[in-house]
Amino acid sequence: MLFEDFDLSDDLLDALYAMHFEECTPIQEKAIPVVLDRHDLIAIAQTGTGKTAAYLLPVIDLLAEVPEADGFVNCIIMAPTRELAQQIERQMDGFSYYLPLSSIAVYGGTDGAGFARQQKGMREGADVVIATPGRLQALLQMGGIDLSKVRYFVLDEADRMLDMGFYDDIMAIARLLPQERQTLLFSATMPPKIRKLAQSILRDPVEVKIAPSRPVEKIAQSAIFCNEDQKESLLIDMLKGRRGQRVIVFAASKHGVRDLARTLRRAGIKAAEIHSDLDQQQRDETIRGFRSGRIEVIVATDLLARGIDIDEVMLVINYDVPREPEDYVHRVGRTARANADGEAVTLVGPRDRRAFSRVESTLKIEIPAQNRPAQNRPSSSARRQNSGRPRRDSSNGPASADNLGATSGAANSGNGENRAKRNNRGRGNNHRRNPSGKKPGAPRRHGGVPRPE
């Protein structure tokens, strides 16, 4: 389905085509009409399927249709991390390029001056506020922020926010919002605590679900069974064979990330680390270096598993198997984005085997593996004879996963052709307001439309 097929404003469609977005992903195809019809929504879809555009596009269209008074907050989008809030703001900036809508992102990790700027921006009002729960709560406690005109309340990565302990903050913020609002909840999973949250803050929601959370088909998954003391050498060999490619390596702990990044640098690999002990400026600098090619490998905790959209990550390596199968899906979802292919390799040590089995059984997939131990437990004499070495099992077939569709992005032949196509269909924008400029406080933009990353 094409974005052209929705009743979106011409200005919004022009921005999409300028960014080379034409075809919808499945979650966008199902969610956008529900939001445009002003229903509350529960949307369940895995990472990398285009969830951000699934709520931003209809909300932008609805905000642009009916002018709002300046000095108020009209939409709040909640996100679990600073990185995701920044990414949503970039997409908002691109999609609303031709519309007079203002936005501001508020998140922790800034200095006093940054806090003051966020506070001033919210007090002056913005069409869309993108916020992490903790920072928004802190700003509200300072007073002077009016949420009485909020028409749209969006929870992105809701399951992640609850995992991080933000349930009480979300409920406290929701109680400050008008009862007559539209609430949209997006999540990769639907555990009982998400059901409880949905029952508390949504009214007769429409539920949209895009298959179980599994890695997309374009990711070539594999695993290597090994001893713990073999992991470092295997990792270094893989990375040295991938010079010039962007690679993300996930480890289980901050301590492990620091040690592993140091080991890789000693081996001559351009590696950097990301974990929660680094401040926002350090994380941003690492991401910039990764995008520019100055850094080839990022070693990270699960902080990087969600909300960071970086093009052309060719390989994800699980140095440690995640404890939860959902985290495996989010980790490997950092590759094969924007309709590209990708690869994910998991190193499975003896202490990882139970968690790896849980990943396969929960996701109902069989990941092709080297040196996978036999399923039957060997006798004690055989175990002594094998000295703990896993045996090769070559009988494993390819992994199977649902194809959840590619990310939006087929290039069109040009804005003029697209506008002509719309005119031929008899669509006009007389029912839309013709914006003459941005609202006060809207970000100033120069040059072409920025493409969301």
Side-chain angles (χ1 to χ4, degrees):
M1 186 173 183
L2 304 178
F3 291 111
E4 175 82 16
D5 297 325
F6 295 121
D7 186 26
L8 299 173
S9 74
D10 286 339
D11 293 310
L12 183 52
L13 289 171
D14 284 344
L16 284 169
Y17 289 128
M19 296 186 294
H20 308 294
F21 283 88
E22 182 180 358
E23 294 184 11
C24 303
T25 66
I27 187 61
Q28 293 161 3
E29 183 175 339
K30 290 189 175 184
I32 289 175
V34 174
V35 182
L36 290 175
D37 286 341
R38 302 180 184 276
H39 295 291
D40 282 10
L41 173 68
I42 299 172
I44 309 300
Q46 70 183 68
T47 185
T49 55
K51 286 185 291 183
T52 305
Y55 62 77
L56 270 184
L57 293 175
V59 166
I60 289 171
D61 193 73
L62 291 170
L63 285 171
E65 186 175 4
V66 181
E68 288 291 334
D70 292 335
F72 293 97
V73 175
N74 299 316
C75 171
I76 293 178
I77 299 173
M78 307 272 302
T81 65
R82 291 170 280 189
E83 287 81 6
L84 181 54
Q86 290 171 327
Q87 179 181 309
I88 296 169
E89 184 185 33
R90 287 194 295 270
Q91 293 209 9
M92 173 72 195
D93 193 47
F95 293 149
S96 64
Y97 188 81
Y98 297 115
L99 291 164
L101 299 178
S102 60
S103 63
I104 183 173
V106 297
Y107 45 81
T110 61
D111 56 16
F115 184 92
R117 283 193 299 271
Q118 294 175 5
Q119 185 180 38
K120 182 175 183 290
M122 287 203 65
R123 285 177 173 172
E124 291 179 350
D127 287 295
V128 178
V129 172
I130 304 136
T132 54
R135 175 50 61 97
L136 183 56
Q137 269 285 71
L139 290 168
L140 291 173
Q141 289 170 3
M142 300 293 290
I145 296 172
D146 191 341
L147 301 183
S148 65
K149 301 295 184 182
V150 171
R151 294 161 52 197
Y152 308 101
F153 185 39
V154 183
L155 301 178
D156 196 358
E157 302 281 10
D159 52 349
R160 181 68 168 166
M161 283 194 282
L162 297 196
D163 287 343
M164 296 170 69
F166 286 131
Y167 180 87
D168 290 339
D169 286 335
I170 292 170
M171 293 303 300
I173 292 165
R175 283 191 286 269
L176 298 175
L177 305 180
Q179 290 293 320
E180 295 299 320
R181 67 172 190 269
Q182 189 173 358
T183 304
L184 315 174
L185 186 152
F186 284 74
S187 182
T189 59
M190 197 65 177
K193 56 188 176 183
I194 293 292
R195 288 282 179 197
K196 177 184 175 184
L197 177 65
Q199 291 169 1
S200 301
I201 65 173
L202 278 76
R203 296 179 304 169
D204 300 321
V206 175
E207 186 167 328
V208 170
K209 183 179 253 186
I210 304 297
S213 291
R214 296 182 186 176
V216 296
E217 193 175 67
K218 284 182 171 290
I219 302 173
Q221 301 171 73
S222 63
I224 301 173
F225 283 76
C226 60
N227 293 326
E228 290 296 329
D229 58 5
Q230 295 175 308
K231 281 188 174 184
E232 279 189 7
S233 60
L234 285 169
L235 176 63
I236 291 170
D237 287 344
M238 277 191 285
L239 294 177
K240 286 186 173 179
R242 298 297 189 109
R243 293 288 185 170
Q245 296 184 4
R246 292 176 181 164
V247 181
I248 298 176
V249 178
F250 285 103
S253 66
K254 293 179 286 189
H255 177 74
V257 165
R258 284 191 292 263
D259 287 350
L260 193 54
R262 190 180 305 117
T263 297
L264 295 180
R265 288 192 291 267
R266 287 173 182 164
I269 296 167
K270 294 187 288 186
E273 63 199 72
I274 284 185
H275 50 75
S276 60
D277 281 351
L278 301 179
D279 62 34
Q280 188 62 41
Q281 184 177 354
Q282 291 172 305
R283 295 188 211 172
D284 291 343
E285 178 61 28
T286 297
I287 294 295
R288 284 193 294 269
F290 193 53
R291 287 190 169 116
S292 69
R294 179 172 53 83
I295 296 168
E296 293 180 339
V297 179
I298 289 182
V299 186
T301 60
D302 283 319
L303 178 67
L304 200 68
R306 302 196 196 194
I308 304 296
D309 194 358
I310 303 171
D311 290 338
E312 298 179 1
V313 174
M314 302 302 298
L315 174 65
V316 168
I317 300 174
N318 291 309
Y319 189 82
D320 299 309
V321 179
R323 299 302 98 182
E324 297 298 330
E326 291 85 358
D327 291 332
Y328 175 86
V329 175
H330 292 301
R331 285 183 181 187
V332 304
R334 298 304 95 200
T335 187
R337 302 180 78 84
N339 206 27
D341 294 327
E343 185 178 352
V345 179
T346 301
L347 304 181
V348 186
R351 62 189 179 194
D352 295 316
R353 291 176 188 172
R354 181 175 296 177
F356 184 75
S357 295
R358 191 161 58 247
V359 167
E360 290 189 306
S361 62
T362 301
L363 303 182
K364 295 180 174 57
I365 58 176
E366 186 175 355
I367 300 172
Q370 298 179 33
N371 304 323
R372 186 192 292 266
Q375 294 300 313
N376 294 328
R377 183 176 176 84
S379 65
S380 58
S381 60
R383 291 199 302 272
R384 286 194 299 271
Q385 190 174 30
N386 288 335
S387 302
R389 293 190 189 85
R391 293 180 295 174
R392 184 178 183 83
D393 181 358
S394 60
S395 62
N396 297 298
S400 62
D402 291 341
N403 182 6
L404 300 184
T407 306
S408 305
N412 202 287
S413 57
N415 287 351
E417 179 181 337
N418 291 316
R419 192 180 289 277
K421 283 176 17 182
R422 290 197 296 278
N423 291 338
N424 290 338
R425 294 173 61 217
R427 292 184 71 244
N429 61 351
N430 293 330
H431 64 294
R432 305 283 181 178
R433 58 189 173 127
N434 185 19
S436 59
K438 293 281 178 182
K439 284 186 181 179
R444 185 182 298 240
R445 303 182 178 101
H446 302 278
V449 181
R451 179 186 175 97
E453 300 176 87

